[in-house]
mmCIF file with all atom_site columns, all heavy atoms in Angstrom:
data_model
loop_
_atom_site.group_PDB
_atom_site.id
_atom_site.type_symbol
_atom_site.label_atom_id
_atom_site.label_alt_id
_atom_site.label_comp_id
_atom_site.label_asym_id
_atom_site.label_entity_id
_atom_site.label_seq_id
_atom_site.pdbx_PDB_ins_code
_atom_site.Cartn_x
_atom_site.Cartn_y
_atom_site.Cartn_z
_atom_site.occupancy
_atom_site.B_iso_or_equiv
_atom_site.pdbx_formal_charge
_atom_site.auth_seq_id
_atom_site.auth_comp_id
_atom_site.auth_asym_id
_atom_site.auth_atom_id
_atom_site.pdbx_PDB_model_num
ATOM 1  N N   . TYR Q 1 143 ? 17.424 -185.511 33.761 1.00 98.00 ? 155 TYR Q N   1
ATOM 2  C CA  . TYR Q 1 143 ? 18.394 -184.409 33.770 1.00 98.00 ? 155 TYR Q CA  1
ATOM 3  C C   . TYR Q 1 143 ? 18.036 -183.451 32.647 1.00 98.00 ? 155 TYR Q C   1
ATOM 4  O O   . TYR Q 1 143 ? 17.522 -183.860 31.602 1.00 98.00 ? 155 TYR Q O   1
ATOM 5  C CB  . TYR Q 1 143 ? 19.838 -184.917 33.627 1.00 98.00 ? 155 TYR Q CB  1
ATOM 6  C CG  . TYR Q 1 143 ? 20.192 -185.407 32.247 1.00 98.00 ? 155 TYR Q CG  1
ATOM 7  C CD1 . TYR Q 1 143 ? 20.837 -184.563 31.322 1.00 98.00 ? 155 TYR Q CD1 1
ATOM 8  C CD2 . TYR Q 1 143 ? 19.900 -186.705 31.848 1.00 98.00 ? 155 TYR Q CD2 1
ATOM 9  C CE1 . TYR Q 1 143 ? 21.157 -185.014 30.041 1.00 98.00 ? 155 TYR Q CE1 1
ATOM 10 C CE2 . TYR Q 1 143 ? 20.216 -187.158 30.586 1.00 98.00 ? 155 TYR Q CE2 1
ATOM 11 C CZ  . TYR Q 1 143 ? 20.838 -186.304 29.681 1.00 98.00 ? 155 TYR Q CZ  1
ATOM 12 O OH  . TYR Q 1 143 ? 21.142 -186.758 28.433 1.00 98.00 ? 155 TYR Q OH  1
ATOM 13 N N   . PHE Q 1 144 ? 18.295 -182.173 32.893 1.00 98.00 ? 156 PHE Q N   1
ATOM 14 C CA  . PHE Q 1 144 ? 17.973 -181.113 31.935 1.00 98.00 ? 156 PHE Q CA  1
ATOM 15 C C   . PHE Q 1 144 ? 19.177 -180.189 31.803 1.00 98.00 ? 156 PHE Q C   1
ATOM 16 O O   . PHE Q 1 144 ? 19.697 -179.723 32.833 1.00 98.00 ? 156 PHE Q O   1
ATOM 17 C CB  . PHE Q 1 144 ? 16.799 -180.269 32.438 1.00 98.00 ? 156 PHE Q CB  1
ATOM 18 C CG  . PHE Q 1 144 ? 15.558 -181.034 32.795 1.00 98.00 ? 156 PHE Q CG  1
ATOM 19 C CD1 . PHE Q 1 144 ? 15.346 -181.453 34.098 1.00 98.00 ? 156 PHE Q CD1 1
ATOM 20 C CD2 . PHE Q 1 144 ? 14.594 -181.324 31.834 1.00 98.00 ? 156 PHE Q CD2 1
ATOM 21 C CE1 . PHE Q 1 144 ? 14.183 -182.139 34.441 1.00 98.00 ? 156 PHE Q CE1 1
ATOM 22 C CE2 . PHE Q 1 144 ? 13.431 -182.015 32.175 1.00 98.00 ? 156 PHE Q CE2 1
ATOM 23 C CZ  . PHE Q 1 144 ? 13.231 -182.424 33.482 1.00 98.00 ? 156 PHE Q CZ  1
ATOM 24 N N   . PRO Q 1 145 ? 19.617 -179.888 30.581 1.00 98.00 ? 157 PRO Q N   1
ATOM 25 C CA  . PRO Q 1 145 ? 20.622 -178.828 30.437 1.00 98.00 ? 157 PRO Q CA  1
ATOM 26 C C   . PRO Q 1 145 ? 20.058 -177.526 31.022 1.00 98.00 ? 157 PRO Q C   1
ATOM 27 O O   . PRO Q 1 145 ? 18.842 -177.277 30.937 1.00 98.00 ? 157 PRO Q O   1
ATOM 28 C CB  . PRO Q 1 145 ? 20.802 -178.718 28.916 1.00 98.00 ? 157 PRO Q CB  1
ATOM 29 C CG  . PRO Q 1 145 ? 20.329 -180.031 28.379 1.00 98.00 ? 157 PRO Q CG  1
ATOM 30 C CD  . PRO Q 1 145 ? 19.235 -180.489 29.296 1.00 98.00 ? 157 PRO Q CD  1
ATOM 31 N N   . TRP Q 1 146 ? 20.931 -176.723 31.625 1.00 97.00 ? 158 TRP Q N   1
ATOM 32 C CA  . TRP Q 1 146 ? 20.495 -175.537 32.367 1.00 97.00 ? 158 TRP Q CA  1
ATOM 33 C C   . TRP Q 1 146 ? 19.631 -174.583 31.535 1.00 97.00 ? 158 TRP Q C   1
ATOM 34 O O   . TRP Q 1 146 ? 18.811 -173.847 32.086 1.00 97.00 ? 158 TRP Q O   1
ATOM 35 C CB  . TRP Q 1 146 ? 21.711 -174.773 32.904 1.00 97.00 ? 158 TRP Q CB  1
ATOM 36 C CG  . TRP Q 1 146 ? 22.524 -174.136 31.804 1.00 97.00 ? 158 TRP Q CG  1
ATOM 37 C CD1 . TRP Q 1 146 ? 23.548 -174.712 31.104 1.00 97.00 ? 158 TRP Q CD1 1
ATOM 38 C CD2 . TRP Q 1 146 ? 22.359 -172.837 31.260 1.00 97.00 ? 158 TRP Q CD2 1
ATOM 39 N NE1 . TRP Q 1 146 ? 24.037 -173.870 30.163 1.00 97.00 ? 158 TRP Q NE1 1
ATOM 40 C CE2 . TRP Q 1 146 ? 23.336 -172.698 30.228 1.00 97.00 ? 158 TRP Q CE2 1
ATOM 41 C CE3 . TRP Q 1 146 ? 21.513 -171.758 31.516 1.00 97.00 ? 158 TRP Q CE3 1
ATOM 42 C CZ2 . TRP Q 1 146 ? 23.466 -171.523 29.468 1.00 97.00 ? 158 TRP Q CZ2 1
ATOM 43 C CZ3 . TRP Q 1 146 ? 21.649 -170.596 30.752 1.00 97.00 ? 158 TRP Q CZ3 1
ATOM 44 C CH2 . TRP Q 1 146 ? 22.609 -170.491 29.739 1.00 97.00 ? 158 TRP Q CH2 1
ATOM 45 N N   . ASN Q 1 147 ? 19.817 -174.575 30.227 1.00 96.00 ? 159 ASN Q N   1
ATOM 46 C CA  . ASN Q 1 147 ? 19.062 -173.625 29.394 1.00 96.00 ? 159 ASN Q CA  1
ATOM 47 C C   . ASN Q 1 147 ? 17.857 -174.257 28.703 1.00 96.00 ? 159 ASN Q C   1
ATOM 48 O O   . ASN Q 1 147 ? 17.275 -173.679 27.793 1.00 96.00 ? 159 ASN Q O   1
ATOM 49 C CB  . ASN Q 1 147 ? 19.993 -172.968 28.364 1.00 96.00 ? 159 ASN Q CB  1
ATOM 50 C CG  . ASN Q 1 147 ? 20.678 -174.002 27.486 1.00 96.00 ? 159 ASN Q CG  1
ATOM 51 O OD1 . ASN Q 1 147 ? 20.669 -175.189 27.809 1.00 96.00 ? 159 ASN Q OD1 1
ATOM 52 N ND2 . ASN Q 1 147 ? 21.256 -173.555 26.399 1.00 96.00 ? 159 ASN Q ND2 1
ATOM 53 N N   . HIS Q 1 148 ? 17.474 -175.457 29.170 1.00 96.00 ? 160 HIS Q N   1
ATOM 54 C CA  . HIS Q 1 148 ? 16.282 -176.120 28.640 1.00 96.00 ? 160 HIS Q CA  1
ATOM 55 C C   . HIS Q 1 148 ? 15.423 -176.649 29.776 1.00 96.00 ? 160 HIS Q C   1
ATOM 56 O O   . HIS Q 1 148 ? 14.930 -177.780 29.719 1.00 96.00 ? 160 HIS Q O   1
ATOM 57 C CB  . HIS Q 1 148 ? 16.660 -177.279 27.712 1.00 96.00 ? 160 HIS Q CB  1
ATOM 58 C CG  . HIS Q 1 148 ? 17.168 -176.842 26.380 1.00 96.00 ? 160 HIS Q CG  1
ATOM 59 N ND1 . HIS Q 1 148 ? 18.411 -176.279 26.210 1.00 96.00 ? 160 HIS Q ND1 1
ATOM 60 C CD2 . HIS Q 1 148 ? 16.587 -176.863 25.145 1.00 96.00 ? 160 HIS Q CD2 1
ATOM 61 C CE1 . HIS Q 1 148 ? 18.587 -175.986 24.920 1.00 96.00 ? 160 HIS Q CE1 1
ATOM 62 N NE2 . HIS Q 1 148 ? 17.501 -176.323 24.263 1.00 96.00 ? 160 HIS Q NE2 1
ATOM 63 N N   . VAL Q 1 149 ? 15.227 -175.867 30.805 1.00 96.00 ? 161 VAL Q N   1
ATOM 64 C CA  . VAL Q 1 149 ? 14.477 -176.363 31.954 1.00 96.00 ? 161 VAL Q CA  1
ATOM 65 C C   . VAL Q 1 149 ? 13.791 -175.207 32.670 1.00 96.00 ? 161 VAL Q C   1
ATOM 66 O O   . VAL Q 1 149 ? 14.294 -174.079 32.693 1.00 96.00 ? 161 VAL Q O   1
ATOM 67 C CB  . VAL Q 1 149 ? 15.423 -177.112 32.934 1.00 96.00 ? 161 VAL Q CB  1
ATOM 68 C CG1 . VAL Q 1 149 ? 16.515 -176.197 33.474 1.00 96.00 ? 161 VAL Q CG1 1
ATOM 69 C CG2 . VAL Q 1 149 ? 14.650 -177.747 34.083 1.00 96.00 ? 161 VAL Q CG2 1
ATOM 70 N N   . ARG Q 1 150 ? 12.598 -175.501 33.212 1.00 95.00 ? 162 ARG Q N   1
ATOM 71 C CA  . ARG Q 1 150 ? 11.951 -174.551 34.104 1.00 95.00 ? 162 ARG Q CA  1
ATOM 72 C C   . ARG Q 1 150 ? 11.163 -175.336 35.145 1.00 95.00 ? 162 ARG Q C   1
ATOM 73 O O   . ARG Q 1 150 ? 10.770 -176.484 34.920 1.00 95.00 ? 162 ARG Q O   1
ATOM 74 C CB  . ARG Q 1 150 ? 11.010 -173.616 33.340 1.00 95.00 ? 162 ARG Q CB  1
ATOM 75 C CG  . ARG Q 1 150 ? 9.752  -174.280 32.831 1.00 95.00 ? 162 ARG Q CG  1
ATOM 76 C CD  . ARG Q 1 150 ? 8.828  -173.286 32.139 1.00 95.00 ? 162 ARG Q CD  1
ATOM 77 N NE  . ARG Q 1 150 ? 7.513  -173.880 31.977 1.00 95.00 ? 162 ARG Q NE  1
ATOM 78 C CZ  . ARG Q 1 150 ? 6.471  -173.659 32.786 1.00 95.00 ? 162 ARG Q CZ  1
ATOM 79 N NH1 . ARG Q 1 150 ? 6.579  -172.816 33.802 1.00 95.00 ? 162 ARG Q NH1 1
ATOM 80 N NH2 . ARG Q 1 150 ? 5.316  -174.250 32.589 1.00 95.00 ? 162 ARG Q NH2 1
ATOM 81 N N   . LYS Q 1 151 ? 10.947 -174.740 36.308 1.00 95.00 ? 163 LYS Q N   1
ATOM 82 C CA  . LYS Q 1 151 ? 10.108 -175.358 37.327 1.00 95.00 ? 163 LYS Q CA  1
ATOM 83 C C   . LYS Q 1 151 ? 8.655  -174.993 37.071 1.00 95.00 ? 163 LYS Q C   1
ATOM 84 O O   . LYS Q 1 151 ? 8.318  -173.810 36.967 1.00 95.00 ? 163 LYS Q O   1
ATOM 85 C CB  . LYS Q 1 151 ? 10.517 -174.886 38.728 1.00 95.00 ? 163 LYS Q CB  1
ATOM 86 C CG  . LYS Q 1 151 ? 9.672  -175.538 39.830 1.00 95.00 ? 163 LYS Q CG  1
ATOM 87 C CD  . LYS Q 1 151 ? 10.053 -175.103 41.231 1.00 95.00 ? 163 LYS Q CD  1
ATOM 88 C CE  . LYS Q 1 151 ? 9.088  -175.734 42.247 1.00 95.00 ? 163 LYS Q CE  1
ATOM 89 N NZ  . LYS Q 1 151 ? 9.317  -175.266 43.627 1.00 95.00 ? 163 LYS Q NZ  1
#
Side-chain angles (χ1 to χ4, degrees):
Chain Q
Y155 73 96
F156 306 93
W158 68 272
N159 57 346
H160 286 73
V161 61
R162 71 177 194 99
K163 181 180 176 185

